[in-house]
Amino acid sequence: MASVAWFLILLAGVAAGRTENRIFGGERALIEDYPSLIQVEFYNLFSGLWSQSCGGSILTSRYILSAAHCFSGTLYQPAHRRIRAGTTDRGLGGVVAYVEREYNHPNYGLRGFDADISVVLLKTPLVYSPVIQQGVFIAKGYRIPDQVPVIHAGWGLTASGFSSPFLLEATVFTVNNGVCAERYQSLPDSNEVTENMICTGILDVGGRDACQGDFGGPVYFQNTIVGVISWGHGCNNATYPRVSTSVASYTDWIESIVS
């Protein structure tokens, strides 16, 4: 079994690539630019149709990383999830692989959206190609600095209110966790922002964001996957940042499943 590719970023004043790009307020992208990005498709029991509803990242040829809330719920069954890799288009082309089982983090659900992370085993291995590649993931314990550019990419809802038919990317910025937590504390019954989360956005400005359909997908910093998109207050909200699970908090747990 291939191991996960961990990477420790050495900051040298280098900004993330393509900071001019802006999912919600996003711009078109190609899967060749994000070959570790995959679509998570849900089976609708009532319509009998599959539809892309979450994102994810390729850990190895047999495992993907996504959000636990994409692989849970009263009607959830592994047979009702599959992934699509290697395509720019939503729900079309590429390679489809079905889910064998999910490993949701054991702490998920104990503290709001803390530990909203899942390692998912596929029934059949992916075959690597220029558009299907193992992702590079942040090393254990690394803390992303505040106010640095990061990228969301996915097929989620746009300003039109519909999912994007093609891959979009948006560059936003990391927001201090303390500031982020204070913002959410002002909301009644809000989820808690914990030390295991990364907050992103363009604070008090807005205009770019991830949204429903992007959850479970990656947050990229300098071409390294540092987060799993998890939750927020609406979409494109200038006051309340997008919140993602910090991969660096869970590398030992991920490795224990994949290795």
Side-chain angles (χ1 to χ4, degrees):
M1 181 67 68
S3 61
V4 180
W6 303 113
F7 184 68
L8 178 60
I9 294 173
L10 300 177
L11 289 176
V14 180
R18 293 193 306 206
T19 57
E20 76 280 1
N21 291 338
R22 338 172 263 10
I23 311 188
F24 209 103
E27 294 184 351
R28 293 188 68 158
L30 297 174
I31 197 64
E32 287 86 349
D33 299 323
Y34 303 101
S36 62
L37 177 62
I38 59 93
Q39 302 174 45
V40 177
E41 297 182 343
F42 289 36
Y43 179 73
N44 188 309
L45 290 170
F46 303 101
S47 69
L49 300 176
W50 290 89
S51 179
Q52 184 271 332
S53 298
C54 281
S57 303
I58 299 172
L59 282 165
T60 73
S61 62
R62 286 295 304 276
Y63 290 92
I64 67 163
L65 188 71
S66 188
H69 79 257
C70 296
F71 293 86
S72 62
T74 55
L75 296 179
Y76 170 75
Q77 295 180 29
H80 297 161
R81 297 291 186 274
R82 69 185 188 186
I83 70 101
R84 186 181 298 270
T87 178
T88 297
D89 300 319
R90 179 178 182 267
L92 295 172
V95 173
V96 171
Y98 289 80
V99 169
E100 177 72 28
R101 65 160 298 181
E102 79 296 330
Y103 298 87
N104 290 340
H105 194 277
N107 290 341
Y108 173 65
L110 300 180
R111 191 181 173 191
F113 275 89
D114 197 47
D116 184 18
I117 191 167
S118 183
V119 174
V120 180
L121 174 64
L122 304 177
K123 285 189 173 182
T124 55
L126 298 170
V127 177
Y128 293 148
S129 72
V131 293
I132 300 176
Q133 289 289 320
Q134 181 181 35
V136 176
F137 296 83
I138 194 65
K140 177 182 177 179
Y142 185 84
R143 305 302 300 180
I144 305 302
D146 299 339
Q147 297 296 320
V148 296
V150 293
I151 294 175
H152 297 315
W155 295 265
L157 297 185
T158 67
S160 69
F162 297 96
S163 298
S164 175
F166 41 75
L167 180 61
L168 295 176
E169 61 183 357
T171 296
V172 292
F173 297 86
T174 53
V175 176
N176 178 270
N177 259 41
V179 171
C180 185
E182 287 181 5
R183 294 290 179 100
Y184 277 103
Q185 285 169 3
S186 69
L187 289 174
D189 303 319
S190 173
N191 293 303
E192 180 183 2
V193 176
T194 76
E195 67 279 3
N196 300 314
M197 298 175 182
I198 299 171
C199 295
T200 59
I202 305 177
L203 202 61
D204 298 324
V205 176
R208 310 174 199 168
D209 194 11
C211 198
Q212 280 81 11
D214 298 314
F215 299 154
V219 181
Y220 297 97
F221 176 53
Q222 297 184 3
N223 300 315
T224 301
I225 298 165
V226 300
V228 174
I229 301 169
S230 179
W231 63 279
H233 184 64
C235 296
N236 193 30
N237 191 309
T239 303
Y240 303 99
R242 176 66 47 204
V243 186
S244 299
T245 303
S246 174
V247 172
S249 294
Y250 299 100
T251 56
D252 285 347
W253 173 76
I254 294 169
E255 195 70 53
S256 72
I257 296 170
V258 173
S259 60

